[in-house]
Amino acid sequence: METQMQQEPKVPFFQTTTAKMIMVGILTLVLIIPLALVQELIVERSQRQKEVITETTAKWGNSVYFYGPILKVPYKDPMSGANNYAYFFPETLNNKSEVTMVKPLERSIYKSNVFTTKMQFDGKYSNPNFASKGIPAENIYWNRAKILIRTTNLKSLKDEVKMKIGNQNLAFESVANSTNDSIESLETNYFDYKMLENNTKFNFTISFNGSKQVKMVPIGKTTDAKITSNWNSPNFNGNFSPISREITDNGFEANWKILHFNRPFAQNYFEVLPELGKYAFAVDFITPVDEYQQNERASKYGFLVIGLTFLIFFLIQSISKINIHIFQYSMIGIALIMFYTLLISITEHSTFSFAYLIAGASVIIMISLYSISILKDKKFPMFIGASLSVLYTFIYVIIQLEDYALLVGSIGLFLILAAVMYFSRKIEWNK
């Protein structure tokens, strides 16, 4: 009796697991294109926000830069006969600045963080020394001395600036800028420095409207500065760090003490006053991670979300033998991309956390309901909904973290890989 060997019918290539996996992989790569367009939209909206903030804060007041007060004394050069100026910095300079964040300026859907600042200064000058330049006393015009302040924010001054030095009261006026830079100047009228009778102590107050930053040059031979504010996320910037700082939910307090040998410039200059802004200390009043940055970070995980979601459907298809058409994969992929357009549009009118919750819940519910018609069962759609919920929660946690984002992300991806390896171990890849 002849035994006929029965062979299993050959499965067409396009119906094999390998072919389906290739098509799903190609679709995943194709979906990078709309995902990139969404990321470009986020960048465009972020740039628009920056432009609006720049326009809005320019009318209120830009960054506050302060360089002064500087004693300015004219003299006649005995060699050339030309009239020049000598510039002398204070022996001691003390500052107390109070920066108060006020209600944000609103324009359309955008908000600009702005502040008012009151800066109190006091200190004293030492006796100006012209001997090092060989200038005789008769060539020094003490009765034409001035006090000079350099700043970038004259239009946002809130009040007149007046100084008391010794027994004299001086008022500052704006003067024409003799250089091509953006630094502006305030100067007092002429006064006779010799009439101070060695009482060169001074004090004055200056108040600005400003935004983004407060920056000061420590020109005192000894400079003590203290800045307090109700802003709770400062960034201490510039050439010097504070010697002490305290940051709470209600604001911060920072103190600087800078000595003359801590900075590479002299206490007096002749003929030309140098621009010393690069040696200033500063406080930036920043929003650590704004809503557009959070949207941008979320979109960078878009490829991961699409890939893992397709992988879940592919594993369910391979294990349960349910056929999922490539068109159905396409619909699921587009739904996943719609999450990011929903996220940025809702964020612009609300908070990122609320927008993330609404966009995530909408996409998860839609894909879960669509899965019921594809998989003809409620067990797998529930699993898909739970998996997407875990995935979006995981990504949200990573976005909120700063110092531990890489660590948590790496551990999470390792666990996801382990789960995929476990559930795919019994798939027959040859069919």
Side-chain angles (χ1 to χ4, degrees), residues 69-71 125 146-149 163 170 172 186-188 191:
I70 303 158
L71 176 62
Y125 291 101
K146 291 184 175 182
I147 301 295
L148 169 68
I149 291 174
M163 170 188 278
L170 307 175
F172 286 89
L186 290 171
E187 282 187 0
T188 63
F191 71 98

Side-chain angles (χ1 to χ4, degrees), residues 114-293:
V114 292
F115 59 75
T116 62
T117 180
K118 182 178 181 181
M119 308 170 73
Q120 297 176 318
F121 291 88
D122 66 76
K124 68 175 182 178
Y125 291 101
S126 58
N127 290 325
N129 182 10
F130 284 84
S132 60
K133 291 293 181 179
I135 299 170
E138 60 271 17
N139 284 21
I140 304 171
Y141 307 121
W142 296 108
N143 62 336
R144 297 179 67 84
K146 291 184 175 182
I147 301 295
L148 169 68
I149 291 174
R150 301 275 280 159
T151 182
T152 56
N153 222 18
L154 288 186
K155 70 177 182 179
S156 66
L157 282 172
K158 296 176 62 181
D159 206 347
E160 291 184 332
V161 185
K162 297 180 179 180
M163 170 188 278
K164 181 173 183 180
I165 177 169
N167 56 1
Q168 299 193 41
N169 293 309
L170 307 175
F172 286 89
E173 300 289 343
S174 60
V175 294
N177 192 0
S178 59
T179 60
N180 294 324
D181 58 21
S182 60
I183 312 300
E184 300 165 315
S185 298
L186 290 171
E187 282 187 0
T188 63
N189 292 326
Y190 297 124
F191 71 98
D192 191 343
Y193 187 80
K194 285 296 185 181
M195 295 294 291
L196 298 179
E197 299 178 349
N198 295 322
N199 182 12
T200 59
K201 292 183 179 180
F202 62 84
N203 65 79
F204 67 97
T205 300
I206 186 167
S207 299
F208 291 96
N209 289 331
S211 60
K212 301 177 184 176
Q213 186 185 67
V214 172
K215 184 177 182 180
M216 284 184 279
V217 181
I219 63 171
K221 193 169 185 179
T222 300
T223 301
D224 282 290
K226 177 181 179 180
I227 299 179
T228 59
S229 175
N230 59 344
W231 187 248
N232 60 8
S233 57
N235 178 40
F236 300 106
N237 205 341
N239 201 51
F240 301 94
S241 296
I243 58 173
S244 65
R245 68 187 77 176
E246 182 179 356
I247 303 173
T248 66
D249 292 338
N250 298 321
F252 76 89
E253 178 182 304
N255 295 275
W256 288 260
K257 184 171 184 178
I258 302 165
L259 306 178
H260 66 284
F261 49 73
N262 296 139
R263 70 257 195 312
F265 58 85
Q267 282 299 111
N268 54 73
Y269 289 90
F270 291 82
E271 299 184 20
V272 177
L273 176 67
E275 179 48 52
L276 302 175
K278 63 182 178 179
Y279 302 115
F281 60 91
V283 180
D284 296 330
F285 296 82
I286 60 170
T287 303
V289 180
D290 68 18
E291 293 168 344
Y292 287 104
Q293 288 176 318

